[in-house]
Amino acid sequence: MYPKFFRPVLFLFPPEFIHRLVAFLLPLLVAIPGMRLILRKTYCLRDKRLERQLFGLTFKNPVGIAAGFDKEARLYNALGSFGFSHVEIGTVTPVGQKGNPRPRLFRLPKDKALINRMGFNNEGMEAVALKLRKQQRTIIIGGNIGKNTLTPNESAHEDYLKCFNALFDLVDYFVVNVSCPNIKGMSKLQDTDKLLFLLQNIQENNRSRPAPKPVLLKISPDLSNSQLDEVIEIVKKTGLDGIIATNTSTSREQLTFSSEEAERIGQGGLSGKPLREKSTQTIRYLHQRSGGTIPIIGVGGISSAEDALEKLAAGASLVQLYTGFVYEGPSIAKKINRKLLQLKHNEPVEE
């Protein structure tokens, strides 16, 4: 019903307007007495065989929502009612910022893709922390942290540490985002020396605590194999708990839109179906080169159960969606989990 009816109606309106509308209406919907139960019965597939143990956490199933959808920690419990096991909030910065000028989010329906240059728009770490304190969690939450746009790279580690400290008691794991293509100069933080310095600072803070939190690194899909080898060494050297592969891409390969349309949209990170193969290749390379010793969360181009299973087969332990959720609707987590059970156990799955 969603692809045939709801999606065409929603796509009549600008994408950022629809996202804000959903962010406003979804918490109201689940607040209706009995609605949360109805949604869970419709969209959640409960089965112990789907559980994943990772980073000392128990995920009810392998499917989560990637960072960017719930930037300000408003939607995580509501999203759990649609069958997702975890939600990554953010990217969160120390100080709230408006992000880049609008328009900054674009749909490419023929490609089942999005291009965004949001620019880390969020309310800031204190506002996010307040929301997390007010609402009891019913789902695993990851905290995706970054630097403010105006913070120079030389001081970036201070921004990351501020966010880390502010959210430490409120999230289950952290993601260090140094790969967003929409913050000027941020890609330079992926240089080996800068990245090593940043991660060592976070890990020193983390290990000084009685119960350290899992810390993961989110990487770009545009890295070369030699750069991925460096990432593996950095992860091992700093004792990170895993990698999220991948963020959005600056590439415009495999897109069907015209050069005029590309010029109209301009710069931004590409997500969705055109990213599927590149993301999977990155996951497979990391998994094989590390000998399977580094847990990976697979993100990029997942728009079907088959896409998710491809990521898991390549070496991912969990998967996350954003664009696939936009295009395929709220039943996608259940479809992936049902297919996973069917293939793994070769038996019908009860509703």
Side-chain angles (χ1 to χ4, degrees), residues 137-156:
R137 288 186 283 146
T138 61
I139 192 170
I140 289 176
I141 299 177
N144 188 297
I145 57 176
K147 77 176 187 71
N148 280 113
T149 304
L150 296 179
T151 301
N153 283 348
E154 293 73 21
S155 305

Side-chain angles (χ1 to χ4, degrees), residues 225 228-229 232 281-290:
N225 286 348
L228 292 177
D229 289 336
I232 291 172
Q281 288 175 350
T282 300
I283 293 166
R284 184 176 294 112
Y285 185 88
L286 290 170
H287 180 71
Q288 292 177 349
R289 292 288 288 184
S290 68

Side-chain angles (χ1 to χ4, degrees), residues 79-335:
L79 291 168
S81 298
F82 292 100
F84 297 100
S85 66
H86 63 287
V87 173
E88 201 166 291
I89 63 167
T91 297
V92 180
T93 58
V95 180
Q97 56 184 32
K98 293 182 178 180
N100 293 323
R102 300 179 187 178
R104 53 192 181 181
L105 181 60
F106 307 87
R107 300 187 193 99
L108 308 176
K110 291 182 180 179
D111 297 297
K112 286 192 173 182
L114 297 173
I115 289 177
N116 92 83
R117 51 171 177 270
M118 302 299 289
F120 284 0
N121 57 308
N122 73 109
E123 294 179 343
M125 63 186 187
E126 295 300 337
V128 170
L130 183 61
K131 291 186 180 71
L132 291 169
R133 289 191 189 98
K134 282 185 175 181
Q135 189 172 189
Q136 185 176 0
R137 288 186 283 146
T138 61
I139 192 170
I140 289 176
I141 299 177
N144 188 297
I145 57 176
K147 77 176 187 71
N148 280 113
T149 304
L150 296 179
T151 301
N153 283 348
E154 293 73 21
S155 305
H157 66 285
E158 297 175 6
D159 275 15
Y160 284 90
L161 284 174
K162 289 175 184 176
C163 292
F164 187 81
N165 290 326
L167 301 180
F168 188 87
D169 295 323
L170 302 169
V171 301
D172 297 294
Y173 68 89
F174 282 94
V175 178
V176 179
N177 186 357
V178 294
S179 53
C180 175
N182 302 316
I183 302 297
K184 186 177 180 179
M186 173 164 271
S187 62
K188 293 181 180 179
L189 290 178
Q190 294 182 99
D191 294 347
T192 301
D193 292 341
K194 290 184 176 65
L195 185 56
L196 189 61
F197 176 75
L198 170 63
L199 295 176
Q200 285 175 335
N201 270 270
I202 292 174
Q203 285 291 66
E204 285 176 10
N205 184 302
N206 193 28
R207 290 172 182 144
S208 70
R209 299 171 181 267
K213 290 288 173 75
V215 178
L216 290 78
L217 174 67
K218 189 164 190 175
I219 65 170
S220 166
D222 302 324
L223 299 180
S224 66
N225 286 348
S226 62
Q227 289 173 313
L228 292 177
D229 289 336
E230 291 175 357
V231 167
I232 291 172
E233 289 305 310
I234 289 172
V235 168
K236 291 180 177 179
K237 188 174 292 187
T238 58
L240 290 190
D241 295 270
I243 297 172
I244 296 189
T246 59
N247 212 321
T248 57
S249 173
T250 58
S251 171
R252 296 295 184 261
E253 295 176 2
Q254 301 182 16
L255 292 178
T256 61
F257 65 177
S258 64
S259 57
E260 292 80 9
E261 182 72 0
E263 185 175 346
R264 182 186 70 83
I265 292 175
Q267 296 181 340
L270 174 70
S271 63
K273 195 172 182 178
L275 201 58
R276 179 189 62 81
E277 186 176 351
K278 180 181 284 191
S279 173
T280 302
Q281 288 175 350
T282 300
I283 293 166
R284 184 176 294 112
Y285 185 88
L286 290 170
H287 180 71
Q288 292 177 349
R289 292 288 288 184
S290 68
T293 59
I294 299 175
I296 301 168
I297 298 180
V299 193
I302 299 174
S303 58
S304 68
E306 288 72 22
D307 294 338
L309 294 175
E310 178 185 71
K311 294 282 192 290
L312 295 170
S317 300
L318 304 171
V319 295
Q320 293 177 346
L321 299 82
Y322 181 139
T323 307
F325 185 48
V326 171
Y327 278 91
E328 303 304 324
S331 63
I332 189 167
K334 187 174 185 180
K335 290 177 181 177

